[in-house]
Amino acid sequence: MLYRIQSLPPVWREISKSAIFPYLSLLVWTIPLLLFNSGENSVMAHDEGLYAWRARQMFDSGDWIAPWGNAHHKTPGFYWLIAAFYKLLGISEFSTRLPNMILGVFCLLLTYEIGRIILNKKLALLAGLILSVEFLWLQYCRLGTPDVPMIFLVLLAIYALIQSELQPQYRYILGLIAGLSFGLGFLMRSFMIVLPTVALLPYLVGEHRRHRHLTNPFLYFGLLVGFMPTLMWLWFNWQRYGNNSIAALSGFVVDLGSKERAGNGIIFYLWNVPLKAFPWVFFSLLGLFLVIRRPIPRYQLILVGFPVVLFIELSIFSTRLSHYSLALYPFIALLAAIGLDWLSKIYQMGYVNKKTILNKGNLPRILSYAGGGLGILFLLAAIGVFVWGDRQYATLGLIVGLSWLILPLVWISRYHFGCQFLTAGYWIAGWLLPCWLALAVVGSWGLLSDYNPAYRTFLQKPAIASILQTHPIHSVQLGGKNAVLLRFYTPIHGQKVETISQLPASSYAWVYKPSSSESSPPIRVIGAIQDYKLIQILPRE
């Protein structure tokens, strides 16, 4: 285990004691997970494709206010961020996703720093390791969506507030950073920043007599400065579209808050978060129980109050989607570190009574065997999948299944074969490594980067690619969810028209579900995928 340093050689032991060691450990652990892929990438149709396409419209047109020709329902911060990377690196899936990869790493380091202050260095490092292998968190660190940038700003604000307690001589500058973070959070994610802000109110109000954050004038000054880009954008929007600019922004939030999506009821996050953060949610519940029994001095309303209030807010909010819960994941990691560390100390002492199953001393043994049972299930599933002929997923099941067997092997080796060197660090590694290996394999196969391979291979066909690179491509009522992929991957855009008859002879166009009435001009179908066709208008005889 990375944070167990006693058995290291002397040189590495000195390095491990240095301040840089936790950062180095987290980077070595996390960066491969962010970069592993098969070399083949395609953006997700929603929402990543929409953000990528809108940022490209800004980049191509040079209009960084509203290149789509109408009042927009989202603040432009994330579009500006992606478009800036397009300017630096060119238009690609990698440049779309690189901002989130970078900010995801900074979120990891901020989680460590917050944990170091609230808990201790060991637990903070463990929390960082856990955060990196939470499935949904890693997935969105590899996607071009605004969730991770907003969470970075929230964590930065929390870190600044905590630091201002520890270093009151820098109270004003740290208050400025906190306020600026919240203001820029609105630019990045619109009204969604309100939810984590409200979740901080128990700490800001409940502990006000102690920290006095709410009387820091630079907190409000920073908030105002952070809002300035949004206010300027709204002003330029208002000059073009009048009151529609503000109505579109507020109307979108009202619409989200007034209806459920995909039948996700009020209990959605009760099952979705444990599924997407397996197995760490269960350790975090144990950690939550432990810190409620023994509150963390000064920071209980951050470690417990923030995630609990945020979870309630998300559950009440009518539109419930998996990625809305991402702000919970750093705190799940912190609480899981507490729970897992508590269990590891019991592991180190050994179980108390084999016959008394409910005795807490037996929990590590029970969990070790449960992990082994999970590994066996994966191995059986791998055999079944292999029989059906899908060798890729069979290989994944084999790797994951074998890795989950580490837990019972560590336990058995220590307590039945006398391998006393298998300390608690090895047992904790038995939980971390299966998750890391699974995500590494999934990432290296492109399953976390290549979301629409059918469209990628279609657009890479020589007959299609040669036309797209050399001719403007018009669009004829290009609807449907995947239309955004065609828009993003089309280098030269032509006109948007209602019918094929409006197109000039010899031109090319994307058409969506063309009807017989639209085919009055003679056309040649260059290629087709799902409901979309690339056609050429032939000269009339």
Side-chain angles (χ1 to χ4, degrees), residues 413-429:
S413 298
R414 178 177 172 86
Y415 289 105
H416 293 278
F417 294 101
C419 299
Q420 296 301 312
F421 69 91
L422 294 174
T423 57
Y426 290 91
W427 189 74
I428 291 176

Side-chain angles (χ1 to χ4, degrees), residues 402-416:
L402 290 175
S403 62
W404 274 111
L405 295 179
I406 294 173
L407 273 171
L409 287 176
V410 168
W411 176 271
I412 292 170
S413 298
R414 178 177 172 86
Y415 289 105
H416 293 278

Side-chain angles (χ1 to χ4, degrees), residues 102-360:
I102 294 172
L103 293 176
V105 170
F106 279 112
C107 285
L108 192 66
L109 300 180
L110 283 170
T111 301
Y112 167 77
E113 284 296 329
I114 292 170
R116 181 181 63 81
I117 296 170
I118 293 178
L119 304 171
N120 58 55
K121 290 183 179 181
K122 184 178 75 170
L123 291 178
L125 179 56
L126 181 56
L129 298 175
I130 290 172
L131 180 60
S132 298
V133 292
E134 291 176 333
F135 169 75
L136 190 71
W137 176 262
L138 180 67
Q139 182 187 27
Y140 273 82
C141 284
R142 294 176 55 129
L143 285 175
T145 63
D147 304 280
V148 171
M150 184 198 75
I151 295 168
F152 162 74
L153 292 168
V154 171
L155 292 176
L156 180 61
I158 293 173
Y159 176 68
L161 292 172
I162 293 174
Q163 278 288 358
S164 70
E165 293 188 42
L166 300 177
Q167 303 186 61
Q169 68 273 26
Y170 300 117
R171 180 170 180 261
Y172 289 149
I173 185 65
L174 291 168
L176 177 69
I177 292 172
L180 186 65
S181 299
F182 287 123
L184 293 176
F186 189 86
L187 176 70
M188 194 64 61
R189 201 67 174 93
S190 185
F191 287 98
M192 288 301 295
I193 190 63
V194 173
L195 298 180
T197 304
V198 171
L200 267 179
L201 287 180
Y203 164 72
L204 291 173
V205 176
E207 296 282 340
H208 176 65
R209 285 189 177 182
R210 179 175 58 78
H211 53 60
R212 300 288 180 179
H213 293 320
L214 296 178
T215 58
N216 185 346
F218 278 76
L219 175 69
Y220 304 101
F221 178 68
L223 187 65
L224 177 62
V225 173
F227 268 111
M228 288 304 296
T230 302
L231 295 174
M232 292 174 64
W233 176 76
L234 284 172
W235 168 254
F236 288 120
N237 254 316
W238 183 82
Q239 289 182 318
R240 296 187 189 186
Y241 309 113
N243 293 332
N244 289 338
S245 56
I246 299 176
L249 197 63
S250 57
F252 180 68
V253 178
V254 172
D255 183 60
L256 283 179
S258 60
K259 62 181 181 182
E260 290 183 359
R261 188 179 298 186
N264 297 334
I266 197 168
I267 64 169
F268 173 72
Y269 296 110
L270 287 175
W271 64 264
N272 188 265
V273 173
L275 178 65
K276 299 295 177 66
F278 178 84
W280 311 112
V281 163
F282 303 105
F283 292 114
S284 72
L285 291 175
L286 173 60
L288 180 63
F289 172 75
L290 293 172
V291 296
I292 289 176
R293 285 187 62 192
R294 294 185 177 180
I296 302 296
R298 304 175 65 180
Y299 304 115
Q300 184 80 349
L301 291 177
I302 291 180
L303 186 61
V304 175
F306 181 89
V308 169
V309 173
L310 182 59
F311 184 86
I312 294 171
E313 290 180 280
L314 292 170
S315 298
I316 294 173
F317 194 67
S318 297
T319 299
R320 304 175 185 92
L321 299 171
S322 294
H323 62 276
Y324 285 4
S325 65
L326 278 169
L328 292 171
Y329 280 63
F331 294 89
I332 290 173
L334 289 167
L335 291 169
I338 295 172
L340 189 58
D341 181 70
W342 182 80
L343 288 169
S344 72
K345 292 174 181 176
I346 298 174
Y347 165 92
Q348 191 70 25
M349 293 185 294
Y351 56 87
V352 178
N353 190 333
K354 294 181 180 180
K355 297 180 181 179
T356 309
I357 300 297
L358 295 180
N359 192 300
K360 72 176 183 179

Side-chain angles (χ1 to χ4, degrees), residues 455 474-483 486-487 497-498 500 509-515 518 529-535:
Y455 281 82
H474 306 286
S475 59
V476 183
Q477 293 186 346
L478 200 59
K481 176 180 178 179
N482 292 315
L486 301 180
R487 293 190 179 102
V497 297
E498 296 296 321
I500 294 175
W510 292 113
V511 295
Y512 177 62
K513 294 182 179 180
S515 63
E518 293 176 328
I529 180 169
Q530 296 182 351
D531 295 324
Y532 304 95
K533 291 182 179 180
L534 178 63
I535 64 169

